[in-house]
Amino acid sequence: MLRSNLKELLDSRRMTIRDFSRATGFRFESCRQMYHDTMTRFPGELIEQACKVLNVTPNDLFIIEEDANKSTSENQ
């Protein structure tokens, strides 16, 4: 499962969602969803702007977590 790491990145920089929204030029709601990891599809432009604003790579912006339910069902 792909998970957004935006909350940790913004918190470590003491940056608010509103500040991030202004810096990227994306709607506050889109940035809020990415921050709270409730976004189901990540627009490429948002990923690009987030990486530029935060000076990170997409590898820093996302975390891949193994789905606990998937690994349990595969073992049965």
Side-chain angles (χ1 to χ4, degrees), residues 7-34:
K7 180 179 182 348
E8 290 79 6
L9 293 171
L10 292 187
D11 289 352
S12 70
R13 290 164 171 76
R14 297 183 185 258
M15 188 176 206
T16 66
I17 300 170
R18 178 86 50 210
D19 292 338
F20 179 73
S21 173
R22 288 181 183 135
T24 60
F26 277 83
R27 293 180 321 115
F28 175 82
E29 183 59 23
S30 297
C31 296
R32 187 196 65 76
Q33 287 177 355
M34 191 171 181

Side-chain angles (χ1 to χ4, degrees), residues 5-6 21-22 29-30 50 61 73 76:
N5 194 38
L6 184 62
S21 173
R22 288 181 183 135
E29 183 59 23
S30 297
L61 195 57
S73 64
Q76 293 180 355

Side-chain angles (χ1 to χ4, degrees), residues 28-68:
F28 175 82
E29 183 59 23
S30 297
C31 296
R32 187 196 65 76
Q33 287 177 355
M34 191 171 181
Y35 180 88
H36 289 292
D37 198 31
T38 58
M39 184 175 274
T40 55
R41 294 181 185 218
F42 301 94
E45 297 84 15
L46 177 54
I47 294 169
E48 181 180 354
Q49 286 302 314
C51 288
K52 287 179 180 178
V53 166
L54 300 172
N55 195 29
V56 297
T57 67
N59 286 336
D60 300 319
L61 195 57
F62 296 101
I63 298 172
I64 297 175
E65 292 182 343
E66 188 172 327
D67 187 6

